[in-house]
Amino acid sequence: MALSGAGLEGIIAAESSICWIDGDAGILSYQGFNIHTLAENATFEEVIFLLWNGRLPKAAELAGLKADLAANRGIPDAVTAFLASVKDATPMDVLRTAVSMLALHDPESRDNSVAASERKAVRLMSQTSTIVTSFDRLRKGQDVVQPDPSLGFAANFLYTLTGKRPDAVMEKVFDIALTLHADHELNASTFASRVTAATLSDIHSAVTSGIGALKGPLHGGANEDVIRMLLEAGGNKESALEMVKNRLANKIKVPGFGHRVYKTLDPRAIHLRRMSEELGKSTGHENLYEASSAIEQFIKEAKNLNANVDFYSASAYYSLGIPIDLFTPIFAVSRMSGWTAHVLEQYRNNRLIRPRADYTGLPVGQAWVPLEQR
Amino acid sequence: MALSGAGLEGIIAAESSICWIDGDAGILSYQGFNIHTLAENATFEEVIFLLWNGRLPKAAELAGLKADLAANRGIPDAVTAFLASVKDATPMDVLRTAVSMLALHDPESRDNSVAASERKAVRLMSQTSTIVTSFDRLRKGQDVVQPDPSLGFAANFLYTLTGKRPDAVMEKVFDIALTLHADHELNASTFASRVTAATLSDIHSAVTSGIGALKGPLHGGANEDVIRMLLEAGGNKESALEMVKNRLANKIKVPGFGHRVYKTLDPRAIHLRRMSEELGKSTGHENLYEASSAIEQFIKEAKNLNANVDFYSASAYYSLGIPIDLFTPIFAVSRMSGWTAHVLEQYRNNRLIRPRADYTGLPVGQAWVPLEQR
């Protein structure tokens, strides 16, 4: 039996065409397209198509996918009623339960063929967005905003969240943020999705596992920790630096730095830093960007750690007016594209994922001791 | 980067004291106790304690756990209302959603410390049982049966399912079945639970991933396939043999045989075979046992494959009067003990589980092609 390092570090668990990461060189690509190429050129809908199909869509295909996504934004009344009933709950608990519940109402609930799963993936993309925005409206006592089929994925999300149509800059920034978070190879949530799918369980089960894993503070929860740190520090450069120095002195983790895979700058951080700066200027949150920038520089010098995807998405999302506890659910809205792509890829060439454990327990063959003699 | 076989076969993913399997010798043990020792001596409650704590409970500890389990059988009204609203749904979809929903109502919902997670594990054990039996009653238009605190785990399950207190043989057989299914090292559902827990997500998220993975026909779904095959064959020896021969001739899989880990007889099958025979005689389903036995012998000779845990649990559960589509949910009721034990072990010595993929996609650096030129 091969002995791996703890946590499967560096171990190959599946073949995949979806994502390539070179952690030493700081390269991330989806289906062969460098993340920088995509951030500069693609819409999120093109990225969804690319992740699912391994190539860019032709004009008619893109129009078809956009129409399909727009047509599937509705969620069952039972799910809306559930969202309305749990206003004080943790959003990721709500999202996990609501997405699991979608399976019960899906028109192809008992058909787990690859073709049906592809159609379910379209519905999951759109419905996850609606769940997140509807939950936020309902918990604030606001009416749910009906989706606008004339809006693309990013703009419709912001519109149904805030009730206002976003301006072009906000739409573009959010669209790029969705692209940057769409996939990241066998990260823990995608891996949980693939392990689930590999028993040939259904796609709703698989992405529900993904949501559960993303909830953890070592995964999707980190950008919430970043903004809480920035706000706690008062959001200015000097107080932020002081807080970070205190944290280091007391061996408290500074969130948003370092990565299991990247040993250099996370390529996504470059775009998010620029967006944080732009949005900071246009929305009056420049102090958050400046505090972030000062912390980044300090941690680089003091610990030789680089900012990761979570560090600048925190201030960018905050500047967009997104509630802090929706940062991780929004990560899920984007990563749903990667989860579904990986699940479909797993189905097409499946093998059960079943590793072994290194046994550390008592010698086997312990003798039974009757209750009264223990 | 180390290259593993597909599906992580033979790869170590975690240290664990919980379960030892020797697939060549056909040995299974929990915390050092051979499964035969436990099947002959332990109650399921003792097994739960053993899995969680690594030793047998003293008399007062066992009494305390039994009292705790009995006191936590209630489920929130919202969960009961949900169960009543989805009568025609797939039971595993319902169970996955209902267990996810429990998190929203848990009194320690936002406390994910190990100590709080240990208390949640007790609630999850009892509430999962109540969800399964309540759902079955409600979908049949029957009233939910209130749990009986004087009954142990196995007897209370059968009582709340059927409304009748089971006789001593039924209770004992079901108790042993729960013990036999309680854990199996890093099987796919337990592994999905640990991958989820390793992001430091909460225990409800982790076991929800486990339920989703168990649903797959390559994992928990197999014993349902076995009983459907036996019933389709008419449940007698000759017709069952004919069906199996036809299946082999047409290269259709015969469910309930072979195992990723066991290369010899699954030690759990020995007990389930005996229970299937005993129950078959006492409940008038002897023909199912005889058909199963004939198939086992034939497949052993024709394919050199051994019966696994699913093969005889099918006829045993059927003889107990359990609805076929509850076989996998009952597997979950039992495996919840293993899932929670593994999640708690993961929390106590955590490392993110994050493997890599073998990239099979396009060369990185694909050039962007404008939409109109594709």
Side-chain angles (χ1 to χ4, degrees):
Chain A
M1 196 179 290
L3 202 79
S4 90
L8 294 178
E9 190 154 21
I11 295 290
I12 298 285
E15 294 189 342
S16 179
S17 73
I18 296 171
C19 192
W20 165 257
I21 304 171
D22 182 333
D24 296 319
I27 295 172
L28 167 63
S29 72
Y30 301 162
Q31 301 279 15
F33 288 82
N34 192 298
I35 193 67
H36 302 309
T37 305
L38 296 172
E40 285 157 21
N41 296 287
T43 62
F44 183 52
E45 285 94 334
E46 282 173 298
V47 170
I48 297 170
F49 187 99
L50 175 66
L51 290 170
W52 286 349
N53 299 285
R55 61 179 177 80
L56 295 173
K58 295 178 192 297
E61 291 170 329
L62 182 59
L65 175 61
K66 289 173 86 161
D68 250 15
L69 287 166
N72 281 288
R73 286 174 180 155
I75 56 175
D77 291 344
V79 175
T80 306
F82 162 69
L83 297 174
S85 73
V86 287
K87 293 178 181 177
D88 297 324
T90 305
M92 286 297 282
D93 286 340
V94 174
L95 181 61
R96 184 191 63 234
T97 307
V99 168
S100 178
M101 196 181 288
L102 286 176
L104 300 161
H105 301 277
D106 194 276
E108 297 178 283
S109 185
R110 284 167 202 265
D111 183 354
N112 295 318
S113 64
V114 176
S117 301
E118 289 169 349
R119 292 185 291 271
K120 291 181 192 183
V122 173
R123 291 192 281 275
L124 277 164
M125 283 307 309
S126 292
Q127 292 178 318
T128 302
S129 171
T130 302
I131 287 169
V132 173
T133 60
S134 296
F135 171 66
D136 191 58
R137 302 283 301 180
L138 289 164
R139 68 176 174 170
K140 289 174 174 160
Q142 298 168 331
D143 287 337
V144 167
V145 178
Q146 291 311 306
D148 179 347
S150 76
L151 297 178
F153 194 101
N156 180 69
F157 180 90
L158 293 173
Y159 170 59
T160 53
L161 182 70
T162 64
K164 291 179 209 136
R165 283 173 178 74
D167 64 30
V169 171
M170 292 173 83
E171 176 180 356
K172 187 67 201 156
V173 163
F174 191 64
D175 189 85
I176 293 172
L178 291 173
T179 290
L180 294 172
H181 287 83
D183 196 63
H184 212 248
E185 203 223 29
L186 298 189
N187 60 92
S189 60
T190 302
F191 188 50
S193 298
R194 283 189 84 130
V195 171
T196 303
T199 70
L200 297 183
S201 191
D202 64 291
I203 194 167
H204 285 83
S205 288
V207 302
T208 299
S209 297
I211 294 169
L214 187 69
K215 187 190 167 198
L218 297 188
H219 191 3
N223 58 6
E224 298 186 15
D225 294 338
V226 171
I227 195 70
R228 290 204 171 90
M229 173 180 72
L230 292 174
L231 295 174
E232 197 183 321
N236 78 61
K237 197 171 151 175
E238 291 71 25
S239 57
L241 273 180
E242 194 172 335
M243 164 173 266
V244 167
K245 283 174 193 168
N246 274 332
R247 284 194 173 216
L248 291 189
N250 293 297
K251 300 194 187 303
I252 300 171
K253 192 176 150 65
V254 179
F257 288 89
H259 195 278
R260 169 75 72 91
V261 176
Y262 293 115
K263 304 305 170 201
T264 181
L265 186 63
D266 184 331
R268 300 167 295 181
I270 299 168
H271 298 275
L272 287 160
R273 179 167 50 200
R274 178 177 52 75
M275 284 153 50
S276 167
E277 185 174 12
E278 280 176 21
L279 276 177
K281 281 179 183 158
S282 65
T283 65
H285 293 102
E286 207 167 357
N287 58 333
L288 280 179
Y289 168 74
E290 283 170 3
S292 302
S293 179
I295 292 173
E296 182 190 14
Q297 213 173 322
F298 178 80
I299 296 284
K300 178 72 191 172
E301 282 163 19
K303 306 282 289 180
N304 195 28
L305 284 174
N306 293 288
N308 61 33
V309 68
D310 301 310
F311 188 67
Y312 281 106
S313 64
S315 45
Y317 287 167
Y318 191 80
S319 296
L320 279 171
I322 293 171
I324 294 170
D325 67 358
L326 291 193
F327 288 8
T328 312
I330 285 173
F331 194 159
V333 167
S334 164
R335 187 58 55 89
M336 185 61 72
S337 60
W339 292 332
T340 49
H342 278 272
V343 169
L344 293 169
E345 187 183 57
Q346 184 72 35
Y347 287 155
R348 290 183 193 118
N349 183 21
N350 188 58
R351 181 156 173 78
L352 187 73
I353 301 174
R354 202 282 183 221
R356 298 300 304 269
D358 183 19
Y359 184 65
T360 60
L362 294 174
V364 174
Q366 296 292 310
W368 183 255
V369 182
L371 185 60
E372 57 279 7
Q373 292 169 29
R374 287 176 203 159
Chain B
M1 194 179 289
L3 201 79
S4 90
L8 293 178
E9 190 155 21
I11 296 289
I12 297 284
E15 293 188 341
S16 178
S17 73
I18 297 172
C19 192
W20 165 258
I21 304 172
D22 181 333
D24 296 319
I27 296 172
L28 166 64
S29 71
Y30 301 163
Q31 301 279 14
F33 288 82
N34 192 297
I35 193 68
H36 302 309
T37 305
L38 296 172
E40 285 156 21
N41 296 287
T43 62
F44 183 52
E45 285 94 334
E46 283 173 296
V47 170
I48 297 170
F49 187 99
L50 175 67
L51 289 170
W52 286 348
N53 299 287
R55 61 178 177 82
L56 294 174
K58 294 178 191 297
E61 291 169 329
L62 181 59
L65 175 61
K66 289 173 86 161
D68 250 16
L69 287 166
N72 280 289
R73 287 176 180 153
I75 56 175
D77 290 345
V79 176
T80 306
F82 162 69
L83 297 175
S85 73
V86 288
K87 293 178 182 177
D88 297 324
T90 305
M92 286 297 282
D93 286 341
V94 174
L95 181 62
R96 184 190 62 234
T97 306
V99 168
S100 178
M101 195 180 287
L102 287 176
L104 300 161
H105 302 277
D106 193 275
E108 298 178 283
S109 186
R110 285 166 201 269
D111 182 353
N112 294 318
S113 64
V114 176
S117 301
E118 288 169 349
R119 292 186 290 271
K120 291 181 191 183
V122 173
R123 291 192 280 275
L124 275 164
M125 281 308 309
S126 293
Q127 291 178 319
T128 302
S129 172
T130 303
I131 286 169
V132 172
T133 60
S134 296
F135 171 67
D136 191 59
R137 303 282 302 178
L138 289 165
R139 68 176 173 169
K140 290 175 174 162
Q142 298 169 330
D143 287 338
V144 166
V145 178
Q146 292 311 307
D148 178 346
S150 76
L151 297 178
F153 195 100
N156 181 69
F157 180 90
L158 293 173
Y159 169 60
T160 53
L161 182 71
T162 64
K164 290 179 210 139
R165 283 171 178 75
D167 64 31
V169 172
M170 292 173 82
E171 176 179 357
K172 187 66 201 158
V173 164
F174 191 64
D175 189 85
I176 293 172
L178 291 172
T179 290
L180 294 173
H181 288 84
D183 196 63
H184 211 248
E185 202 222 31
L186 298 189
N187 61 93
S189 59
T190 302
F191 188 49
S193 298
R194 283 189 85 130
V195 171
T196 302
T199 71
L200 296 183
S201 190
D202 64 291
I203 194 167
H204 285 83
S205 288
V207 301
T208 299
S209 297
I211 295 169
L214 187 68
K215 187 190 166 197
L218 297 188
H219 191 3
N223 58 7
E224 299 186 15
D225 294 337
V226 171
I227 195 70
R228 290 205 173 89
M229 175 180 71
L230 293 174
L231 296 175
E232 198 184 320
N236 76 62
K237 197 171 153 177
E238 292 71 26
S239 56
L241 274 180
E242 193 172 338
M243 164 173 267
V244 167
K245 284 175 191 168
N246 273 331
R247 285 192 172 217
L248 291 188
N250 292 297
K251 300 195 187 304
I252 301 171
K253 192 174 150 64
V254 179
F257 287 89
H259 195 278
R260 169 74 73 91
V261 176
Y262 293 115
K263 304 307 172 202
T264 180
L265 187 64
D266 184 331
R268 301 168 293 181
I270 299 169
H271 298 276
L272 287 160
R273 181 167 47 199
R274 178 178 50 76
M275 284 152 52
S276 167
E277 184 176 9
E278 279 175 22
L279 276 176
K281 281 179 186 160
S282 66
T283 65
H285 293 101
E286 207 167 355
N287 58 333
L288 281 178
Y289 168 72
E290 283 170 3
S292 303
S293 179
I295 292 173
E296 183 191 14
Q297 211 174 323
F298 178 79
I299 296 283
K300 179 70 190 173
E301 282 163 19
K303 308 281 289 180
N304 196 27
L305 284 174
N306 293 288
N308 61 33
V309 68
D310 302 309
F311 189 67
Y312 281 106
S313 65
S315 44
Y317 287 168
Y318 191 81
S319 296
L320 279 170
I322 293 171
I324 294 171
D325 67 357
L326 291 194
F327 288 8
T328 313
I330 285 173
F331 194 161
V333 167
S334 164
R335 188 56 58 88
M336 184 62 72
S337 60
W339 291 333
T340 49
H342 278 273
V343 168
L344 293 169
E345 186 183 59
Q346 184 71 36
Y347 287 156
R348 290 183 192 118
N349 182 21
N350 188 58
R351 181 154 173 79
L352 187 72
I353 300 175
R354 200 286 184 219
R356 298 300 304 270
D358 182 19
Y359 184 63
T360 60
L362 293 174
V364 174
Q366 297 290 312
W368 183 254
V369 182
L371 186 60
E372 57 280 6
Q373 292 169 29
R374 287 175 203 158

